[in-house]
Amino acid sequence: MKKILLGALPFLCMFFIITFIHKAKPIQHMREHAITAQHGLLTLPAHGDRDIFSIKGQWHFTPNQFYYFRDNTRPLYAPLPGRLSETSLKTEFGYASYGLRIVGLNPNKVYVLQLNHILSSCTIVINGIDRAGQGQPGVSAQTEIPGKTISMASFKPLKNGTADIVVNISNFHNRYGGTDQSIILGSADILNESFVFNLLFYNITATVLLLFSMFFIMLYLNYKKMPYILWFAFAAITISIRISVFYPHILAYIWLTMPWKFYFILRYSSMPLAALFFTIFINKIFNIQYVWIYRSIIAICLSSTAFIAIAPTLLVSRYLYMQQTLIFIAAIYDAIIIIRALFKRKKSAVWIAMVLGILAGFALYDTLVSQWVISGKLLLQEGAIISIIIAVIMSIDNYATSIHQIEQLVEEQKRIQNALRRFFPNQLLMFLQKNNITEINTGDSSELSMTVLSIDIRSFTSMSEQLEPDEVFILLNKYFALVAPIIRKYGGVIMKFLGDGFTALFSKNPDAAVACGIEIQKKLQEENIRLGNLPAIRAGIGIDTGKILLGVIGNDSRLDSVVISNTCYTAEELQAATKVYSNTIIISESIFKSLQYPENFHIRCIQESPVIDTAEQTVIYEVYDCDAPDTQDKKQKTASYIEKALKKIKEKNYATAQTYIAKSLEIFPEDPLALHYQKVIRETIYNL
């Protein structure tokens, strides 16, 4: 805990400094008054320098005209703040003039009229002089240039304490025209100072977020065991960009010539990108996901971002609600994952739950503001700052924990190296349900359902008699160097090296063991391991599945593993049977019935009953995937004849069985299996 607090201290100090500065801004000490205009007239009460006014109400309204204070021929009124569709225009698209006369001003004082972001552009005219604006109002989409900032119009009232305000507004690029935020009037010194302060505050905030992001990107590059840190950094960068393109529009003042289209893309794409990065962050940190929902959210976020970048701005703004819906869908999905993580007691779940709760609350508020349900300033960036601070502390906690775990693992590795000298192979820990090799003791045992693969080199005894002792081991080591990695590849573990063969265990489904046997045979055919003039190594493989008893025997100075099971014996017998039937891989009936995807293999039955009277009925199968394609094709064509012949043998109808074997040999005269049964049937008929 001490490491966490020390690591988080610099970030907490930044947070408290920013909070202190925010609380100390000039506007916090002002007296704000809500005041309403009636029929284009606003009368101010007596006021001082510390008083500011939030103006709402009815303004004079002149549609399809600029620079009109009012239309004397037919007086019209419209609310401001308000939408163009709430006026006589009855549509969100068009242009008009709003007029307001303010009385009760101090003629010796300089005022500022602050008009927040207009959708899409405006100019402010006070007492006949253009004072400020956002973009350039126009009479069509071609002549209009949308604005990127707020408007701060400084003016001095007339000698009689009045001021005539005209606001020219046009909208041809956004789904709404007008503004939903109050118009602020107050002392020029106070409001200008407050605005400069806001620029400084949000600039510092965006910079701090970028520094956080760079810190975590560097952290990821140096320690890639925590990949979620990278996506957290991307989310922080996105929030930093969002801060710079919303009030007070820092980026617009830094890059004065920035194209409005690019500015628009940055504003709107920050939402789907934030949802994208945060959802990936949640997935990476908890490793919990509903695959199709997760992939769908990722795809929709990317598609939404591409749509924002490519589609016309008017079309994008019209479908803003769909993007906001996407945010809430992603938030709901993230919430479900976090709830699952909380139930599973996943590390950092509480931290992330706090982050999501804060972001969801602020996102809901911003949605209501953007849909004009309520009036106010967009605050998601403020919520994001708080969330980032929480996530920073969480990440430092995880990083400190990871460092501590690394220290523990180094010590653990030393103990494992010592333990490995008396026990091998390492993989048996999982089978014996041990967490660490140092926990292994004599008498440890476990009953498991396993697949057993037995392999043996053909004619190895006669080969070894023709080699020098060192050559025998050279040949065996080449063989095991080829085969052992294939066993590991398919999740197997070699239990015993038995001279020229071994037994391997597979805990996965039998498909893995069969696929492993096929690859071993193919590799042996490709590599042709041999010494001198001796033939290349060939092997027989038998595979069975069932219950085994795995245990540890030995003493304190020497331990060994042992498997006691009829399954191992059966696998060895099947491996020996490959010599009888002249094939490479034989599997048991248990394996055949347990295969999840038998259609992935070439399999044929080679024994349904004992050919000569015995007490035990046995069904075994040949896997011939490692044969040449032509041989595979012939075996597949004759499989039905072989199967029918085996059934007739089982019924002791040897004459009919002989007929089917003959048909099989017509197609595949060299088939060792058919030739074997032809010989056996003849001998059986002869002895009857």
Side-chain angles (χ1 to χ4, degrees):
M1 189 63 185
K2 187 182 295 183
K3 290 182 179 180
I4 298 171
L5 292 175
L6 288 174
L9 188 60
F11 301 101
L12 289 173
C13 288
M14 287 185 188
F15 175 71
F16 288 128
I17 291 171
I18 291 173
T19 304
F20 175 78
I21 294 172
H22 182 69
K23 292 294 182 183
K25 69 178 182 178
I27 201 168
Q28 297 288 353
H29 305 292
M30 298 299 97
R31 295 190 295 263
E32 185 172 354
H33 309 279
I35 190 166
T36 303
Q38 297 290 339
H39 301 295
L41 178 65
L42 178 68
T43 302
L44 296 181
H47 56 277
D49 289 342
R50 297 177 58 193
D51 294 300
I52 61 172
F53 299 96
S54 176
I55 302 172
K56 295 183 178 181
Q58 292 180 321
W59 292 50
H60 294 293
F61 183 76
T62 308
N64 303 320
Q65 295 290 338
F66 285 141
Y67 294 96
Y68 267 66
F69 178 75
R70 68 183 172 195
D71 187 349
N72 293 320
T73 61
R74 51 168 192 152
L76 296 174
Y77 301 95
L80 197 67
R83 292 159 57 173
L84 287 178
S85 61
E86 297 171 346
T87 69
S88 58
L89 285 174
K90 303 299 182 183
T91 178
E92 298 291 357
F93 309 105
Y95 61 100
S97 297
Y98 289 82
L100 178 69
R101 175 165 292 168
I102 303 176
V103 301
L105 296 166
N106 184 346
N108 299 316
K109 179 179 176 181
V110 178
Y111 291 85
V112 161
L113 186 73
Q114 179 178 310
L115 187 59
N116 288 321
H117 196 220
I118 288 286
L119 305 172
S120 290
S121 60
C122 75
T123 55
I124 302 175
V125 183
I126 303 178
N127 293 329
I129 301 174
D130 283 6
R131 297 290 184 176
Q134 299 174 27
Q136 178 60 54
V139 298
S140 66
Q142 291 71 33
T143 58
E144 179 188 68
I145 302 174
K148 302 189 291 285
T149 62
I150 69 170
S151 301
M152 302 284 291
S154 299
F155 70 95
K156 193 172 184 180
L158 299 176
K159 292 181 179 180
N160 60 0
T162 64
D164 287 342
I165 313 293
V166 175
V167 179
N168 301 313
I169 293 179
S170 71
N171 176 51
F172 295 98
H173 288 83
N174 218 306
R175 59 178 179 151
Y176 295 141
T179 182
D180 64 333
Q181 299 183 35
S182 297
I183 298 165
I184 305 299
L185 176 68
S187 166
D189 292 338
I190 295 299
L191 287 183
N192 284 330
E193 185 180 350
S194 176
F195 179 68
V196 171
F197 171 85
N198 283 330
L199 278 176
L200 177 63
F201 170 76
Y202 285 104
N203 189 34
I204 292 174
T205 302
T207 303
V208 168
L209 285 180
L210 285 176
L211 290 175
F212 284 164
S213 304
M214 295 303 104
F215 169 77
F216 284 110
I217 289 173
M218 295 301 298
L219 197 62
Y220 168 77
L221 293 176
N222 286 280
Y223 184 62
K224 296 184 179 179
K225 296 287 186 181
M226 294 170 19
Y228 63 86
I229 285 180
L230 184 64
W231 298 102
F232 170 68
F234 290 157
I237 291 173
T238 304
I239 298 300
S240 176
I241 293 173
R242 181 178 175 85
I243 290 173
S244 68
V245 294
F246 281 85
Y247 178 83
H249 310 280
I250 303 165
L251 192 58
Y253 289 97
I254 295 175
W255 185 4
L256 297 176
T257 59
M258 177 174 52
W260 177 81
K261 171 68 174 178
F262 182 68
Y263 196 77
F264 178 90
I265 292 172
L266 289 179
R267 282 175 64 93
Y268 282 83
S269 64
S270 64
M271 292 187 293
L273 285 177
L276 170 70
F277 295 141
F278 192 77
T279 300
I280 298 176
F281 166 64
I282 292 292
N283 170 63
K284 295 292 184 182
I285 195 170
F286 294 132
N287 199 25
I288 300 173
Q289 62 174 248
Y290 299 99
V291 178
W292 290 110
I293 300 176
Y294 172 73
R295 290 178 179 175
S296 297
I297 290 175
I298 300 302
I300 294 172
C301 287
L302 292 174
S303 301
S304 179
T305 304
F307 174 72
I308 292 168
I310 297 171
T313 57
L314 181 57
L315 185 62
V316 173
S317 65
R318 280 180 175 174
Y319 291 99
L320 177 63
Y321 72 92
M322 294 181 65
Q323 299 174 39
Q324 293 165 337
T325 302
L326 166 64
I327 299 296
F328 283 102
I329 291 173
I332 291 170
Y333 172 79
D334 294 340
I336 292 172
I337 298 300
I338 291 170
I339 291 170
R340 283 192 62 191
L342 288 170
F343 276 111
K344 291 186 175 184
R345 300 182 180 275
K346 289 275 190 177
K347 183 177 175 60
S348 305
V350 175
W351 293 101
I352 300 299
M354 293 170 58
V355 169
L356 184 63
I358 293 170
L359 288 175
F362 280 92
L364 177 61
Y365 174 82
D366 275 18
T367 300
L368 295 175
V369 170
S370 64
Q371 295 295 331
W372 296 51
V373 177
I374 59 176
S375 178
K377 189 179 74 169
L378 299 177
L379 297 176
L380 182 58
Q381 49 267 38
E382 278 83 351
I385 295 169
I386 300 171
S387 300
I388 292 293
I389 294 295
I390 294 173
V392 164
I393 298 173
M394 176 208 70
S395 298
I396 292 173
D397 176 24
N398 290 345
Y399 186 71
T401 302
S402 297
I403 296 299
H404 180 63
Q405 288 174 344
I406 290 173
E407 294 172 352
Q408 288 182 320
L409 287 173
V410 171
E411 296 300 320
E412 190 70 16
Q413 187 67 25
K414 293 178 181 178
R415 293 197 297 270
I416 289 174
Q417 292 299 326
N418 293 329
L420 282 174
R421 296 173 184 173
R422 63 188 183 97
F423 192 83
F424 186 84
N426 209 8
Q427 298 93 322
L428 294 177
L429 286 173
M430 180 180 66
F431 300 153
L432 292 171
Q433 300 178 1
K434 300 294 183 181
N435 295 321
N436 194 294
I437 199 167
T438 57
E439 299 175 7
I440 294 295
N441 292 298
T442 55
D444 288 340
S445 63
S446 181
E447 186 178 29
L448 305 164
S449 293
M450 304 286 282
T451 298
V452 179
L453 182 149
S454 176
I455 184 170
D456 188 75
I457 299 176
R458 298 271 179 83
S459 305
F460 182 75
T461 302
S462 61
M463 291 172 59
S464 61
E465 290 174 352
Q466 303 176 54
L467 296 171
E468 294 297 327
D470 59 334
E471 291 178 328
V472 173
F473 287 100
I474 290 172
L475 185 64
L476 285 175
N477 286 330
K478 285 184 177 180
Y479 166 69
F480 290 131
L482 176 70
V483 173
I486 301 174
I487 297 291
R488 291 193 296 271
K489 174 182 174 181
Y490 288 91
V493 53
I494 297 175
M495 278 298 302
K496 294 289 182 184
F497 288 100
L498 303 171
D500 60 330
F502 59 81
T503 300
L505 302 180
F506 293 81
S507 58
K508 297 180 180 179
N509 58 69
D511 298 60
V514 175
C516 178
I518 294 169
E519 185 166 340
I520 287 174
Q521 294 290 7
K522 289 182 177 179
K523 282 291 184 181
L524 288 174
Q525 293 171 13
E526 292 172 6
E527 298 296 328
N528 278 325
I529 299 173
R530 70 174 75 211
L531 283 180
N533 296 322
L534 295 177
I537 285 179
R538 292 294 180 262
I541 294 175
I543 308 174
D544 190 25
T545 188
K547 295 286 185 180
I548 69 165
L549 182 61
L550 174 66
V552 179
I553 59 174
N555 54 44
D556 292 338
S557 61
R558 179 74 172 91
L559 297 177
D560 201 357
S561 58
V562 64
V563 175
I564 302 171
S565 170
N566 187 57
T567 303
C568 291
Y569 173 78
T570 302
E572 291 173 1
E573 289 295 304
L574 293 174
Q575 172 269 122
T578 60
K579 301 174 185 177
V580 176
Y581 295 105
S582 301
N583 51 27
T584 55
I585 302 174
I586 294 181
I587 62 174
S588 67
E589 185 178 20
S590 300
I591 288 287
F592 181 78
K593 290 181 177 179
S594 301
L595 289 174
Q596 290 187 355
Y597 304 101
E599 66 275 7
N600 291 344
F601 307 103
H602 293 85
I603 300 173
R604 66 173 178 171
C605 181
I606 61 173
Q607 182 178 317
E608 279 203 355
S609 66
V611 177
I612 304 173
D613 291 338
T614 61
E616 186 177 356
Q617 300 286 317
T618 307
V619 181
I620 60 177
Y621 299 83
E622 176 191 13
V623 179
Y624 56 94
D625 292 71
C626 43
D627 288 347
D630 179 63
T631 303
Q632 289 182 20
D633 184 61
K634 291 177 180 178
K635 287 185 177 182
Q636 189 171 2
K637 289 178 179 178
T638 60
S640 61
Y641 292 123
I642 296 292
E643 184 177 354
K644 291 175 181 178
L646 293 177
K647 288 181 179 178
K648 294 304 176 182
I649 291 173
K650 183 177 180 181
E651 297 169 0
K652 298 186 178 181
N653 187 347
Y654 299 112
T656 306
Q658 193 172 30
T659 302
Y660 286 125
I661 291 297
K663 290 182 178 180
S664 175
L665 288 170
E666 289 177 3
I667 299 172
F668 187 17
E670 304 84 19
D671 187 2
L673 180 64
L675 292 171
H676 168 77
Y677 277 115
Q678 184 185 55
K679 179 182 177 182
V680 170
I681 291 171
R682 286 174 179 173
E683 291 176 355
T684 304
I685 293 174
Y686 178 80
N687 293 324
L688 287 176

